[in-house]
Amino acid sequence: MTDKITIYQKPTCSKCRATLTLLKENGEEFDSINYYEKPMTIELLRELLHKLNMSARDILRADEPMARGTESATDEELLQLMVKNPDLIQRPIVVRGDKAILGRPPENVKKLLGSVDVLR
């Protein structure tokens, strides 16, 4: 695979730090985007959801206090809420080409690395 990896992350998140370590240990070149410093747009979130093959609800951190009362929210409403409150987004999201993986647990990212071990 030649597509460069992009990781959307929060530097203080332990799963994000573990994923960054995994990428470095595997010699992967990657761009790291702190989505608190460079906020996501609804369009970017839609693109990431498409690559993840997930819905907005799938990446909602439902245990966050701000997520209370979102049980009947539509995907569009959740996207708007996530853009305003990035703590609601599961992280890290790791992208390579037209594929993306939620790095929870960080080992999930190995699926994007093209490792033969992952295929077993």
Side-chain angles (χ1 to χ4, degrees), residues 68-88:
R68 289 193 190 116
T70 61
E71 295 79 19
S72 62
T74 65
D75 265 17
E76 192 61 32
E77 291 168 333
L78 289 175
L79 288 173
Q80 291 175 15
L81 193 59
M82 288 179 197
V83 165
K84 291 178 188 165
N85 304 286
D87 277 334
L88 292 173

Side-chain angles (χ1 to χ4, degrees), residues 34-51:
N34 175 345
Y35 60 80
Y36 287 80
E37 290 178 356
K38 185 179 180 196
M40 290 192 189
T41 62
I42 288 178
E43 293 76 21
L44 175 59
L45 268 176
R46 279 193 194 111
E47 179 184 328
L48 292 173
L49 288 172
H50 177 74
K51 290 179 179 188

